[in-house]
Amino acid sequence: MRRLLSLLFLLALLIGVILPALYFYFASGLPDLSTRSAVTAALAPRVQAAREASKATGRRQDSPPFQVSRRANLPKALVIGLLAIEACPDYLEAPPLADLDRFKLVLARAAQARVPAGPGRCRLRFADMVTEALGVIEPVTAAISDAKLLASLEPDDLLTFRLAATFYSSSIIGAFDASRFLFGKDLEKLTLAQAAELLAAESYWQQFVDCTNPPRLTRLRDDVLDRMKAFGGIDEAELKRAKLVPVSCSSR
């Protein structure tokens, strides 16, 4: 009986003292992530610093302010394409994450385990991309950051922050920045073909900038369009029309 009481005491100590102490230790270096505006305020100086550094070294001429759009202001094609390449077309229709489900996702993140496909995986991935943009690398601290973002941001906001925090190069950060660089226009004005090209450029940025092998770049963009069609985001006619458009660098 005494041994059982001792074990219960140790368990209570672990839950009530040690775990909270560890949580606060790992979370102490994180910025305020409790609201959308707080996350924006945390990201803005990091992105601006990178842009200013690139301007100082001559890699870019301007340093526009960091911005995060609302989903309603984004082109529908870009949202459809993003969810297609992330393989979670039902992301926006999925119910809110329950506390237990969110805990399981964050636990998997901390353990660096594979997360099953689905809306939850995409929400975790979007939160993780924002965490990475904040410069958080240590796995446990990153998991805590992800948990805070999942709790404070709606799915729409996670999606828009993911776009705003996407790393293309040391001088181009965020889809808003990349759109101006590739197409000379704001993100909100992209066509279907341009939205697909921008998404393809996430993994092949320098090739799109240098216009390395335009036929291959066209195939990469068309792969995104095919995924959009496969997930029901666009119809056959839209697919064919978009594929007829040359990639942007062909006209530069």
Side-chain angles (χ1 to χ4, degrees):
M1 183 66 177
R2 181 175 296 178
R3 180 176 296 179
L4 177 60
L5 290 175
S6 297
L7 289 174
L8 290 174
F9 175 77
L10 289 174
L11 182 60
L13 184 66
L14 176 65
I15 295 174
V17 178
I18 298 177
L19 288 181
L22 287 173
Y23 174 87
F24 285 113
Y25 171 79
F26 283 107
S28 60
L30 290 174
D32 180 13
L33 301 175
S34 60
T35 64
R36 188 181 195 276
S37 58
V39 178
T40 302
L43 270 176
R46 298 192 63 87
V47 175
Q48 284 301 112
R51 290 174 179 171
E52 288 292 344
S54 296
K55 185 178 179 181
T57 56
R59 291 198 297 271
R60 64 180 298 158
Q61 302 301 313
D62 62 343
S63 181
F66 175 73
Q67 62 175 298
V68 183
S69 183
R70 296 285 184 179
R71 183 173 71 89
N73 297 328
L74 295 175
K76 183 180 178 182
L78 183 65
V79 175
I80 292 171
L82 175 62
L83 298 182
I85 65 170
E86 296 286 3
C88 49
D90 55 345
Y91 174 88
L92 296 172
E93 291 74 35
L97 284 172
D99 290 342
L100 180 58
D101 292 333
R102 188 163 62 240
F103 175 76
K104 288 178 180 178
L105 286 173
V106 173
L107 188 63
R109 169 63 176 86
Q112 297 182 318
R114 184 178 180 183
V115 178
R121 182 191 63 80
C122 283
R123 291 179 190 178
L124 178 62
R125 172 167 163 75
F126 295 170
D128 209 37
M129 290 181 72
V130 177
T131 289
E132 185 177 346
L134 289 168
V136 182
I137 300 173
E138 200 283 322
V140 176
T141 306
I144 294 173
S145 174
D146 289 351
K148 288 177 175 288
L149 292 168
L150 288 169
S152 63
L153 298 180
E154 297 294 328
D156 276 19
D157 290 329
L158 282 170
L159 184 150
T160 55
F161 271 100
R162 182 265 194 233
L163 287 170
T166 300
F167 182 88
Y168 291 85
S169 72
S170 58
S171 58
I172 304 294
I173 300 174
F176 308 91
D177 212 13
S179 176
R180 295 190 189 101
F181 191 95
L182 278 184
F183 313 113
K185 63 168 66 174
D186 288 337
L187 195 65
E188 293 82 0
K189 299 178 181 178
L190 294 185
T191 64
L192 171 58
Q194 289 170 335
E197 182 176 341
L198 184 66
L199 291 167
E202 286 187 4
S203 301
Y204 303 93
W205 176 253
Q206 202 57 49
Q207 290 93 318
F208 276 93
V209 171
D210 295 338
C211 207
T212 306
N213 193 347
R216 179 172 181 268
L217 299 180
T218 300
R219 289 195 298 274
L220 292 171
R221 181 210 56 192
D222 289 352
D223 285 345
V224 176
L225 290 168
D226 287 335
R227 287 182 69 86
M228 294 168 72
K229 170 65 169 56
F231 282 115
I234 59 176
D235 60 31
E236 187 67 30
E238 290 173 312
L239 176 69
K240 290 180 178 179
R241 285 196 299 270
K243 284 188 172 183
L244 291 175
V245 179
V247 290
S248 60
C249 70
S250 299
S251 59
R252 287 206 296 264

